[in-house]
Amino acid sequence: MASFRLAVPFLVVLMSAMASAQSQVVTITEPGVYKIGDLFKAADVVAVVKIVSGDTESYDCAVYKGEVIQSFKGVPQGAIVYFGPFVGMKLGSEYVLFLRTIAKPISPKTAATASYGTVRYLEIFNQGYSSMDTSYECVFAGKEIAQQCDYGVRVCTDYIKLPKFMSVFPPEDDDPPFGCRWVRKAHFISLLDSLGTPNK
């Protein structure tokens, strides 16, 4: 009976020590909230990119091939870039991308002829919020259709903070899914251009 009384406290201490050893502190850093200027600084490449193809079979993650239509940082216009890892991006569409360089090139799982081979890989970061699709939308303010419809960029303003002077649609007091709103593409491109050439 005495040995049982000694064993119980020992087991409690042992189980408590095992539980503390197994507990880990997890720090979630993404998605983060970035001012657009800080997002620009954090990226190695900032560009408008047209997706020309994609491969979700040959690599351990989705890899897209894109042509740089307009560059603001890190690559020349006309360059071919390979990026990912998020599925669901539309082939033939243009995106404003903020990308980080991954130090190690990405290689296909096998020598499949359909893959791009081993390529320099750029990563969409901040849980995908550094990728912004562009399209023609009729969501903007104005009394006439010609004022309401324009090319836009979809920015998730809950995570990417824009300057106060830049109008977003729907306005900030509305709450669209994921906090994603449209800005006029011409205005957004002008903002990126000014971030890329601050002394301009």
Side-chain angles (χ1 to χ4, degrees):
M1 188 72 172
S3 62
F4 177 75
R5 287 184 190 149
L6 290 173
V8 170
F10 175 75
L11 284 173
V12 170
V13 170
L14 180 63
M15 289 173 64
S16 175
M18 288 174 61
S20 348
Q22 289 178 352
S23 67
Q24 297 176 350
V25 176
V26 176
T27 304
I28 298 173
T29 57
E30 290 196 3
V33 177
Y34 283 84
K35 290 181 181 175
I36 189 71
D38 294 335
L39 186 70
F40 193 95
K41 288 175 189 172
D44 297 311
V45 169
V46 181
V48 177
V49 175
K50 180 178 181 178
I51 299 180
V52 295
S53 64
D55 188 337
T56 59
E57 182 178 22
S58 303
Y59 300 89
D60 290 327
C61 63
V63 177
Y64 296 94
K65 178 182 179 182
E67 178 186 358
V68 175
I69 304 301
Q70 187 171 358
S71 177
F72 307 99
K73 181 181 180 182
V75 290
Q77 182 175 334
I80 297 298
V81 292
Y82 298 91
F83 61 94
F86 298 100
V87 296
M89 300 184 81
K90 298 172 275 191
L91 301 184
S93 294
E94 290 184 11
Y95 290 80
V96 177
L97 299 176
F98 296 75
L99 303 167
R100 285 185 178 156
T101 301
I102 298 302
K104 186 178 177 186
I106 191 168
S107 299
K109 293 184 277 191
T110 65
T113 55
S115 75
Y116 306 122
T118 300
V119 295
R120 175 183 176 230
Y121 182 69
L122 299 163
E123 179 184 52
I124 296 168
F125 62 102
N126 207 33
Q127 287 297 312
Y129 292 112
S130 68
S131 167
M132 303 163 192
D133 56 327
T134 69
S135 65
Y136 191 77
E137 299 291 329
C138 293
V139 296
F140 302 103
K143 293 181 179 178
E144 300 177 12
I145 294 293
Q147 297 169 324
Q148 296 168 9
C149 299
D150 199 356
Y151 285 96
V153 178
R154 187 171 180 257
V155 181
C156 295
T157 56
D158 284 2
Y159 298 98
I160 310 300
K161 298 301 179 185
L162 298 173
K164 297 282 185 195
F165 63 79
M166 184 161 284
S167 299
V168 296
F169 303 91
E172 289 285 349
D173 54 359
D174 197 343
D175 191 19
F178 305 105
C180 298
R181 297 168 173 86
W182 290 94
V183 297
R184 291 184 190 269
K185 186 177 180 183
H187 297 171
F188 193 71
I189 294 301
S190 177
L191 174 62
L192 294 182
D193 197 36
S194 70
L195 290 172
T197 52
N199 298 324
K200 191 173 173 181

